[in-house]
């Protein structure tokens, strides 16, 4: 069977990305980063790492792996831990990054089978992007809800979907729609789940001299036109206070280990959150958030959200650079409020 390799000339990865030739049967390339090895077949992503008893190989469903990798790439390794599943993931050291296997799973760690390796974040990102490009076939959009992208992730490699995986993340400076800032989404279609969301715009009447300073937009309209899921985008910025609203459907593709307190405001519908200990994964709470509910997610947990009906969620982040250190050293309690 002839193999497609459209990425070879147009988007050859930087020379420091270690990749092998396409597998003759499936068309997918294997990759290496440090001591980690990555390969995929028709259904699965395989990650292996060295242990004192030889290499250990771990299997994830390829769609779940690609959805998680998409988040790691789009969010530049995000805050704290990005667990692809209970075994494999990344830890952001802001400038550097750790990839880990079994480190936050006591059975592996206690048996001496876990592995952690630290990388320059830019180098690790180049490999992550190269894997994402190579392993996503045409028609599979790792940012979309399952119903909106189908099962194009299964089977041998067939083309690619560079447009979907290289989508620019919204990087608002102050607020979408201000001159020179990120655009509003009026040109995008309203998502099928949000057909009933009012589309009226606020009237803005600034006093002379305040044009370009006073601004407002319809956030529900803006979110109703989001074409991705589980992608909190910076949508208003006030010093370190970042409002990151997002639309959620199916499962948050990562299990996020917080390195700071995050606030959630459930804007519509419902999300159920499984909350567990960040270090061990021991279950701590099941939180059902209904429209209007507000929750503070502590700094010492991991969590994953489940949303049957596409819902709108506001994630409120504090981007202060010293927060991970303050929480890790115990100088700040893991909760924002003691009751
Ligand atoms: C989170 O980990 O807090 C998080 C990540 C992605 C989302 C929502 C919440 O879409
Ligand atoms: Fe989180």
């Amino acid at each position: 069977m002839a193999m497609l390799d459209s990425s070879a000339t147009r988007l050859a990865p930087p020379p420091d990305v270690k990749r092998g030739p396409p597998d003759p049967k499936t068309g997918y390339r294997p990759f290496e980063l440090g001591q980690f090895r990555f390969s995929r077949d028709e259904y699965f992503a395989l990650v292996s790492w060295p242990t004192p008893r030889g290499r250990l190989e771990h299997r994830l469903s390829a769609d779940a792996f690609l959805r998680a990798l998409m988040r790691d790439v789009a969010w530049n390794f995000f805050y704290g831990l990005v667990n692809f599943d209970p075994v494999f993931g990344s830890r952001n050291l802001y400038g550097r990054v750790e990839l880990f296997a079994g480190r936050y799973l006591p059975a592996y760690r206690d048996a001496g089978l876990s592995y952690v390796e630290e990388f320059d974040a830019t180098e690790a990102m180049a490999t992550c992007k190269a894997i994402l490009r190579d392993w996503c076939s045409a028609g599979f959009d790792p940012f979309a809800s399952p119903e909106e992208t189908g099962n194009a992730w299964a089977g041998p490699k067939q083309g690619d979907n560079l447009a979907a995986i290289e989508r620019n993340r919204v990087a608002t400076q102050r607020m979408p729609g201000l001159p020179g800032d990120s655009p509003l989404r009026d040109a995008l279609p309203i998502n099928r789940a949000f057909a009933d969301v009012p589309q009226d715009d606020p009237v803005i009447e600034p006093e002379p001299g305040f044009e370009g300073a006073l601004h407002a937009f319809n956030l529900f309209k803006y979110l109703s036109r989001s074409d991705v899921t589980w992608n909190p985008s910076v949508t208003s910025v006030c010093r370190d206070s970042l409002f990151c609203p997002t639309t959620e459907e199916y499962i948050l593709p990562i299990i996020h280990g917080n390195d700071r307190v995050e606030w959630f405001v459930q804007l519509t519908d419902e999300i159920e959150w499984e909350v567990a200990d960040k270090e061990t994964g021991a279950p701590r709470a099941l939180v059902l958030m209904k429209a209007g509910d507000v929750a503070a997610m502590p700094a010492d947990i991991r969590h994953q959200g489940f949303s049957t009906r596409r819902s709108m969620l506001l994630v409120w982040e504090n981007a202060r650079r010293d927060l991970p250190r303050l929480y890790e050293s115990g100088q700040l309690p893991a909760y924002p409020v003691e009751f």
Side-chain angles (χ1 to χ4, degrees), residues 110-178:
D110 296 348
L113 298 175
S114 62
Y115 181 71
V116 180
E117 190 169 337
E118 190 181 311
F119 302 96
D120 172 78
T122 310
E123 270 170 39
M125 183 55 74
T127 301
C128 291
K129 284 186 174 169
I131 297 175
L132 197 57
R133 277 191 215 115
D134 191 78
W135 291 6
C136 286
S137 286
F140 177 61
D141 179 353
F143 256 139
S145 70
E147 203 183 312
E148 290 172 355
T149 192
N151 78 341
W153 56 274
K157 184 166 174 62
Q158 294 188 37
D160 44 38
N161 192 358
L162 304 180
I165 63 182
E166 306 216 337
R167 259 195 213 100
N168 278 331
R169 192 183 173 206
V170 176
T172 298
Q173 299 304 307
R174 289 186 293 166
M175 235 192 200
L178 273 171

Side-chain angles (χ1 to χ4, degrees), residues 237-242 316-321:
V237 182
C238 184
R239 298 212 176 94
D240 284 326
S241 171
L242 309 183
W316 183 22
E317 294 280 5
N318 186 330
R320 235 176 86 166
R321 287 175 160 269

